[in-house]
Amino acid sequence: MSTTPLCALTIAGSDSGGGAGIQADLKTFAAHGVHGLSALAALTAQNTRGVTAVHVPPVSFLRAQIDACFDDFNIGAVKLGMLATAEVIHAVADALESHHPPFVVLDPVMVATSGARLLAEDALDAMRTRLLPLATVLTPNIPEAELLLGHSIPDGGAADRAVAALRALGPRAILLKGGHLDEGQTVVDRYEDGHTDARFIHDRIAVNGHGTGCTLASAIAANLCLGLPLSTACAAAIDYVFMALRGGQQPGRSDIVVLDHFGAARRH
């Protein structure tokens, strides 16, 4: 083999049900033809019905995983997902500042599907001060953006204003996901990087999907590894998630739909 494969690293939580987290990230990387690396920041006992337990490994072990990946692989992009505590966030930020990956895609996992808040206040502050300035692109949903900004985002006009406010916190670019906003039969994702201001619009799919945020951020990271410009990488990732959700299946006993990663890759 004379060709070095493209590599992307996910630093996130494990989903034992296989629909989100590290598992979704690695499927997404593979579907894009990118070699996936992983550093587990949390382990969950989880299925399509919910999360029953969470274990956070020692941060020294998390750092060892990250260092091992950077020591051996040429990492084109890093995707960040579930980082449960301030201590974990600081450890990840320290590692990123040490290794200087070309791109960092930050999915700020802060609110459960049920609406429950997942981060303590000190962890939220750590995310604002340590990770947001390191992010190439931040991909919050509406509840996460509300937590980061400290105010509600009730409609499309407020979402437009929130994009600029989020970017002022330090990320190079913002992709504000619109699935939680009622804007009719479409979902509007808002993007801004200081040069490009775009809206990506898709029909709303009436399914209860699982792992869409993880998959979107991982698809952006994979597309950046493949050399796509940032706004194009985001647009292509949104298309990929739309197709993966449209072709999704219900592997568990609930109505939760898990994305069809490799079907989406064939149609993409």
Side-chain angles (χ1 to χ4, degrees):
M1 297 289 290
S2 59
T3 301
T4 301
L6 300 164
C7 299
L9 168 64
T10 171
I11 307 173
S14 170
D15 173 6
S16 56
I22 292 278
Q23 286 78 358
D25 298 340
L26 294 176
K27 292 175 189 177
T28 303
F29 294 157
H32 284 77
V34 172
H35 179 65
L37 315 170
S38 61
L40 273 67
L43 295 90
T44 68
Q46 183 175 173
N47 55 33
T48 63
R49 294 172 174 173
V51 179
T52 58
V54 176
H55 172 67
V56 179
V59 293
S60 59
F61 182 69
L62 173 60
R63 180 61 189 260
Q65 294 177 78
I66 297 170
D67 290 345
C69 289
F70 276 99
D71 183 59
D72 192 34
F73 300 95
N74 184 13
I75 296 173
V78 173
K79 179 262 181 178
L80 304 179
M82 179 183 177
L83 306 175
T85 69
E87 187 181 22
V88 167
I89 290 170
H90 285 298
V92 170
D94 288 345
L96 295 177
E97 289 172 348
S98 175
H99 293 292
H100 304 291
F103 300 106
V104 176
V105 182
L106 174 55
D107 179 21
V109 180
M110 297 186 293
V111 182
T113 302
S114 63
R117 180 167 164 173
L118 299 177
L119 283 188
E121 189 63 37
D122 64 337
L124 179 58
D125 290 342
M127 181 172 288
R128 286 195 191 102
T129 59
R130 294 298 311 278
L131 288 183
L132 265 62
L134 299 176
T136 307
V137 58
L138 176 72
T139 65
N141 60 29
I142 294 298
E144 291 159 350
E146 290 175 335
L147 273 181
L148 286 168
L149 294 174
H151 61 73
S152 65
I153 303 172
D155 52 37
D160 291 337
R161 294 187 292 273
V163 171
L166 287 166
R167 191 164 175 270
L169 296 177
R172 174 178 161 191
I174 301 294
L175 179 62
L176 178 59
K177 298 175 288 192
H180 288 79
L181 279 183
D182 182 2
E183 297 188 83
Q185 297 303 308
T186 59
V187 174
V188 182
D189 299 315
R190 292 163 167 85
Y191 173 87
E192 205 270 317
D193 63 12
H195 303 284
T196 300
D197 185 351
R199 292 187 177 193
F200 305 118
I201 302 174
H202 280 98
D203 293 335
R204 186 175 293 275
I205 303 175
V207 298
N208 191 3
H210 182 52
T212 53
C214 306
T215 298
L216 176 65
S218 295
I220 295 171
N223 287 328
L224 291 171
C225 283
L226 294 170
L228 271 64
L230 186 52
S231 62
T232 307
C234 290
I238 292 168
D239 288 343
Y240 174 80
V241 171
F242 178 78
M243 287 183 284
L245 187 58
R246 189 170 58 182
Q249 300 176 328
Q250 297 177 356
R253 294 186 176 91
S254 74
D255 65 350
I256 293 293
V257 169
V258 171
L259 278 62
D260 177 17
H261 292 271
F262 297 101
R266 290 191 294 270
R267 295 188 295 269
H268 195 44

